[in-house]
């Protein structure tokens, strides 16, 4: 939604920020992104908020004041360098980021009440049962995922598991996964 000012309560109310479960902020200027993110956080601190920044210093400033906001930096230059070093990388990254076609990346939180498991014990069963490949885990759910984690890394309640699959897996059969884990 477009507004004339990110601190105008009337205009921002039309965006229903106070009731949103997710908020995505991508303004033409980073100072506007910062203002919109701070305002949104003051109205709805529980929403999953993502803010896109070109300047990482402003992203760090926002994270300092609002640690639960996910700040997405510009990665355009990095993607071009990667494609120059590893031919075909741009097509791979496009597919992984595309919500519309092919294999793409998803995440799921490891549920409450399940025992800790290792990457090793989930890696095979995820592939066998769901044709999904575990690619990263954020054990502390602090926005610092470990890509290509060690097989002996332990996942526990609340950890975020990132995977690649043909489509989002709506319902994991954790009982089967953890049973397979116990038998491994």
């Amino acid at each position: 939604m477009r507004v004339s000012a990110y601190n105008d309560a009337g205009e921002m109310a039309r965006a229903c920020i106070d009731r949103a479960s997710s908020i995505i902020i991508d303004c033409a200027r980073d100072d506007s992104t910062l203002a919109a993110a701070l305002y949104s956080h003051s109205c709805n601190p529980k929403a999953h908020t993502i803010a896109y920044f070109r300047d990482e210093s402003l992203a760090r400033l926002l994270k300092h004041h609002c640690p639960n906001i996910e700040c997405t930096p510009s990665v355009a230059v990095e993607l071009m360098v990667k494609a120059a070093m590893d031919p075909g990388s741009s097509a791979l990254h496009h597919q992984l980021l595309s919500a519309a076609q092919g294999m793409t990346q998803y995440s799921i939180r490891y549920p409450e009440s399940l025992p800790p498991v290792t990457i090793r014990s989930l890696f095979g069963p995820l592939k066998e049962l769901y044709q999904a490949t575990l690619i990263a885990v954020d054990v502390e759910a602090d926005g610092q995922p470990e890509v290509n984690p060690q097989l002996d890394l332990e996942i526990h309640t609340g950890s975020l598991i990132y995977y690649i699959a043909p489509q989002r897996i709506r319902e994991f059969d954790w009982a089967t996964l953890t049973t397979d884990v116990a038998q491994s």
Side-chain angles (χ1 to χ4, degrees):
M1 172 174 187
R2 294 188 183 272
V3 295
S4 60
Y6 295 104
N7 61 350
D8 182 316
E11 284 195 40
M12 294 299 279
R14 289 186 304 131
C16 301
I17 291 171
D18 60 329
R19 296 184 308 242
S21 59
S22 296
I23 300 169
I24 299 172
I25 303 167
D26 180 9
C27 301
R29 296 180 11 199
D30 281 354
D31 58 341
S32 296
T33 298
L34 182 62
L38 289 169
Y39 184 89
S40 297
H41 181 74
S42 71
C43 292
N44 188 348
K46 293 186 179 187
H48 179 211
T49 303
I50 301 103
Y52 173 79
F53 286 96
R54 288 152 194 82
D55 181 347
E56 287 189 43
S57 67
L58 287 177
R60 283 191 302 274
L61 177 64
L62 179 61
K63 282 297 268 186
H64 177 74
H65 293 284
C66 305
N68 62 326
I69 292 181
E70 187 174 338
C71 296
T72 303
S74 174
V75 293
V77 172
E78 289 86 348
L79 287 175
M80 288 190 300
V81 170
K82 188 70 177 154
M85 294 173 61
D86 297 301
S89 291
S90 60
L92 171 65
H93 289 109
H94 182 265
Q95 184 173 344
L96 289 174
L97 296 172
S98 173
Q101 65 181 26
M103 295 283 186
T104 193
Q105 176 264 306
Y106 303 99
S107 67
I108 186 152
R109 192 168 302 276
Y110 191 67
E112 301 283 331
S113 75
L114 290 179
V117 294
T118 62
I119 297 292
R120 176 180 282 109
S121 59
L122 282 181
F123 196 87
L126 282 172
K127 186 69 171 175
E128 290 171 11
L129 295 172
Y130 298 104
Q131 197 57 24
T133 303
L134 191 152
I135 59 168
V137 64
D138 187 348
V139 175
E140 302 300 323
D142 61 359
Q144 302 294 318
E146 185 172 334
V147 178
N148 193 22
Q150 295 292 320
L151 290 173
D152 61 350
L153 180 67
E154 193 171 79
I155 300 170
H156 53 78
T157 297
S159 296
L160 280 169
I161 301 168
Y162 297 88
Y163 63 94
I164 298 170
Q167 59 195 19
R168 181 178 303 279
I169 301 164
R170 297 285 176 201
E171 300 264 342
F172 277 84
D173 184 352
W174 292 107
T176 300
L177 285 170
T178 54
T179 299
D180 288 350
V181 167
Q183 295 172 358
S184 296

